[in-house]
Structure formats: structure tokens, C-alpha cells
Amino acid sequence: MSIYYIYQDQKRCIGCYACEVHCKTKNNLPVGPRFCRIIPVGPKPVRGIPTLNFVFMPCFHCEKPWCLSACPTGAMQKRVKDGIVFVDASLCVGCKSCITACPWGVPQWDRATGKVIKCDYCKDRVDRGLKPACVTKCTAHALRWVSPEEASQLKRERFAKDITGN
Amino acid sequence: MQAAAGMTVLEVARQEGLDIPTLCYLKALGPYGVCRLCIVEAAGPGLIPTILPSCNLTISEGLIIITDSPVIQSMRRTILELLLASTPLTDPLKVMAGNFGIKTSRFTSAKSDPCILCGLCVRVCRYKIGASALSFASAGNGQVIAERIGMDPELCIGCGTCANICPVQAIQLEDLEAERRLILYGTVVRRFDLLKCDGCGAPYTTREFIDSIISRLDHEQKCSLKNLCCECARQYYAEALTGQFPSDG
């Protein structure tokens, strides 16, 4: 997988959709396609209390991406230096193989150009030492731009806090 | 100007931000040289000054290229007018005609279909999708795009890439409820049953297309494919990530 990871602390997320809005603005997306999504799950009873979770779903930039294997033109590419998976628009013929192959429904269709577009972790920003738009503008600081190692550490800390009631 | 060996004039021009119009060129498919809109004036060592399509012209030391001149403009206008005589004014021809200030064509055509024989559909189907369901039929003025018949009547997988890249909408894809129709020159040539998403029940793609994608995936990747549309895929995994698997599991 990519050397980066976007960690979401679901306890902090308030479902304001600022990540989606700023992603669309930064990437100049038309009506329809959304690179990252906040998916509300619930409300479902957890220990008797109705609970609503907001799950942040960007592209996971897989180690062995389905989209990349499915792409017949080489338009779907993975950067060697950091593992970011992105589309080279000049090579995309709009066959939608990647859309069909991705188990998470990440690649998006741009009707106007007849090509696929997707989350590239805002690689232009990353290359300038900045964080992706979604992370930068997260109002509740629920999103963190980390390495996968840091993400697992954060998850453990969150779990430890939860079971001790802190 | 310097560029990497083996590049074509068109590629170098695009890299340098010079606009050369094309209809039949797609980077994914490589040069084809039939629309002739990308013509340039070329001269240089061992080359008599001539007019050549830039998509097919490989760069060499000392090559002199003029991408825009009164001669080139005039020839491109004529080519565009000839194309417009036989096809409706749709994008991207509309944009090009606008750039050249062309409103009507001086020519007329006896052709009844809008196809300009750019070959994008045939090439993408054969070399990228790997289905080889489309080919050229007949020759000369009677040449048309046709479904490849004879070998296997089920070559088309209903992906619709041909319809997507056709610049004049000579091929169209139509999804009606549970049926996908491939329309070539106004006639329905293929019908497919659309698979329904296991989540929302909406029709989303063809079995044949999924099979073709599966053939490019490895075992591990194949195992995790589900019959879900994009929306439901995201929902399904969001629920999975919260530890609350969807009820339909």
C-alpha cells in the first residue's frame, strides 16, 4: 500500500462533510463524482444506545490495486516513490474496467470527458509537502495524515481509551 | 527544440503546449493517420519540404516543423468541411469547426450514417478491450464499421468503450431497465441482459464485461469481487469497517 494513510477517528467525526466539499473544490469536480465519501452507518443500537457512525471512505491506494490490474490501457498507475494510485487521463479510454473491478467503488466517472477520475491523495499537494484537502479542512480533526504504522498505533490507543472509559 | 528519441512530432508539440487538432489520435492507441487533421509542414536533412500527419512523424535531428501556416490552415479547413459534409455537427467537431469559423460545408455527401471512419472503435475494441467485436467492412466509399461476424457471434462484451470514444456518436449505448443495447449506425446490433446490483437492485453492467475483467485479475482479487454497484460497494464496506456487517451479508 501507499506509504501514506488517512486515519479517521470515528469518535471525533461529526459528519459535517467538509472533507467531501473541500475535496470537490480542490479537484474541481463536476456534479456527480466524489473522490472521498462520508458514509453514515446506522443508527444501530450499540449496548442499547442508538449509534450513528460516519465512515470516511477515500481511495485506499491498495498494495495490489484491482483497478490497476483491470485497466487495459495502462492509464491506471501507481507511483513507485510512494504508492499513490492515480489515472493518467491521456491514456484513459473510458472502458470503466477499474470502476467495475474496485471492490470499494472508488474510481468515479466523469461524464463530460468520458474518462475515469479518482482520489490521488491530492498528490500535487503532497509533492509540495502539504496534506490532502480532506485532511487539511477536517473541522473536527478526525482525519489524520499518517503512515500505516502510525495508523495502527492510533487505532490501538483509541481502543485502549474506549475500554478504560476515558 | 529537444525531445526524447522516438517521440512523434505530435507528442512533442503537445508536450510543449502547441495545439494541433486531431480526431483519430488517442495516446492509448497510438498513431493511425487517417483523419489528416494533424498535418504539419515538414522539412529537414534528407526530406523534401512536404506536408505530413504529425501523429505518424517521428522526430529526427534537424527536422523543421511548421504547425500553423496559411497552407496548413487552408488544408485543415477543407478536411474539416469534408468531414462535416457527412456527419452532424457534434463535439468535438463542433469545437473544431468553431475554431476555424466554419458554419456550413461546401461539400455534400451521399453517406447516410455519421461515421467518419476514424477507426477508434475498431482499434480500442481489438487492441485494448481484446474483444475484436468490431471491424471494417467493404472498401472505398462504401467502407463501414461493422460487427465482426463469422468467428464467434458473441464477441461483443457490452463494455461500451466504442460508444464512449466515438467522436460522432455513430455508435451508441443505451441502458433500458434490465437491457443494454449497442446501437451501430442507428440499428440495434447487440442486446445484453444487465446484471442487477445485489445491494440496490439497479442494473449496472454485463456478465460478459465482468468476465473479461476477471480474466485480468489474480485469484486473490477475483475472490473479493461482489455484485455491487459503486454506491452499494462503498456502503457495504463502510458497514463492514464499523463492525456492523450489512444484514444481507
Side-chain angles (χ1 to χ4, degrees):
Chain A
M1 79 188 295
S2 154
I3 61 167
Y4 314 111
Y5 186 83
I6 297 176
Y7 173 79
Q8 182 207 16
D9 187 341
Q10 279 178 23
K11 285 272 166 21
R12 293 197 68 92
C13 181
I14 56 170
C16 71
Y17 292 83
C19 48
E20 284 196 22
V21 172
H22 288 283
C23 170
K24 288 205 71 147
T25 309
K26 185 266 157 191
N27 292 300
N28 202 17
L29 298 185
V31 173
R34 289 189 266 181
F35 288 174
C36 69
R37 289 288 293 275
I38 287 290
I39 310 281
V41 177
K44 287 181 182 175
V46 176
R47 286 187 292 273
I49 302 160
T51 308
L52 183 64
N53 283 299
F54 297 102
V55 182
F56 179 69
M57 297 270 293
C59 171
F60 299 126
H61 299 268
C62 311
E63 178 62 28
K64 197 170 62 183
W66 282 253
C67 57
L68 201 142
S69 304
C71 178
T73 68
M76 194 64 78
Q77 296 170 18
K78 187 174 170 176
R79 294 214 296 198
V80 177
K81 67 170 178 177
D82 55 13
I84 288 179
V85 182
F86 68 101
V87 183
D88 177 348
S90 67
L91 285 171
C92 178
V93 294
C95 67
K96 303 186 187 173
S97 295
C98 53
I99 295 181
T100 314
C102 175
W104 341 98
V106 166
Q108 300 282 295
W109 183 243
D110 185 351
R111 195 176 290 273
T113 58
K115 290 174 191 285
V116 162
I117 46 178
K118 75 175 281 296
C119 163
D120 63 358
Y121 272 168
C122 296
K123 63 180 163 60
D124 55 326
R125 286 178 59 84
V126 171
D127 288 343
R128 282 183 283 141
L130 302 168
K131 293 170 184 173
C134 54
V135 177
T136 308
K137 291 291 184 178
C138 175
T139 54
H141 298 277
L143 298 181
R144 304 264 301 266
W145 179 240
V146 295
S147 67
E149 294 80 13
E150 285 171 302
S152 52
Q153 181 62 22
L154 285 167
K155 201 158 191 174
R156 276 186 171 161
E157 282 170 16
R158 165 52 71 195
F159 183 73
K161 279 178 191 167
D162 282 354
I163 56 164
T164 56
N166 277 319
Chain B
M1 197 178 282
Q2 289 203 333
M7 283 178 82
T8 64
V9 171
L10 180 66
E11 284 167 350
V12 176
R14 288 198 169 171
Q15 191 176 289
E16 298 294 323
L18 292 166
D19 184 39
I20 296 178
T22 61
L23 270 181
C24 73
Y25 177 82
L26 264 192
K27 193 177 167 190
L29 295 170
Y32 197 45
V34 295
C35 79
R36 315 308 278 185
L37 281 167
C38 70
I39 46 167
V40 291
E41 287 187 52
L47 185 67
I48 301 161
T50 182
I51 289 167
L52 291 167
S54 59
C55 68
N56 259 335
L57 184 60
T58 311
I59 55 164
S60 55
E61 190 68 42
L63 189 68
I64 300 158
I65 297 292
I66 300 167
T67 61
D68 203 355
S69 69
V71 179
I72 293 293
Q73 284 283 330
S74 163
M75 289 179 77
R76 283 190 190 145
R77 279 186 69 95
T78 307
I79 294 164
L80 258 179
E81 283 190 62
L82 283 164
L83 287 171
L84 288 172
S86 62
T87 195
L89 202 57
T90 49
D91 291 335
L93 273 170
K94 199 174 179 176
V95 178
M96 280 186 204
N99 292 343
F100 282 87
I102 300 169
K103 289 197 173 67
T104 52
S105 176
R106 284 171 286 166
F107 310 103
T108 52
S109 166
K111 262 174 99 237
S112 59
D113 60 68
C115 180
I116 54 170
L117 295 167
C118 68
L120 285 174
C121 56
V122 173
R123 288 187 293 147
V124 84
C125 186
R126 187 174 303 166
Y127 302 119
K128 295 298 165 189
I129 304 302
S132 294
L134 293 170
S135 59
F136 292 105
S138 306
N141 287 341
Q143 193 176 42
V144 288
I145 304 287
E147 255 193 305
R148 181 123 160 231
I149 46 167
M151 268 166 55
D152 183 349
E154 299 295 330
L155 288 172
C156 178
I157 57 171
C159 69
T161 312
C162 50
N164 186 53
I165 64 169
C166 175
V168 293
Q169 290 159 31
I171 304 182
Q172 289 163 315
L173 199 74
E174 210 173 69
D175 283 357
L176 295 166
E177 291 295 316
E179 188 181 76
R180 172 167 290 181
R181 293 173 173 184
L182 187 74
I183 303 163
L184 179 60
Y185 299 163
T187 309
V188 178
V189 290
R190 270 285 184 280
R191 290 168 198 268
F192 293 92
D193 289 333
L194 285 169
L195 291 180
K196 287 193 173 68
C197 167
D198 284 347
C200 64
Y204 73 111
T205 193
T206 67
R207 176 82 260 158
E208 293 82 351
F209 183 43
I210 290 188
D211 287 343
S212 119
I213 292 167
I214 284 176
S215 71
R216 296 194 286 274
L217 301 179
D218 69 18
H219 180 71
E220 196 186 329
Q221 289 173 324
K222 280 176 203 171
C223 292
S224 54
L225 277 193
K226 293 191 166 45
N227 290 329
L228 293 172
C229 69
C230 283
E231 276 303 298
C232 291
R234 278 187 162 171
Q235 186 70 36
Y236 180 89
Y237 284 101
E239 293 189 20
L241 286 171
T242 60
Q244 302 170 13
F245 271 88
S247 47
D248 64 347

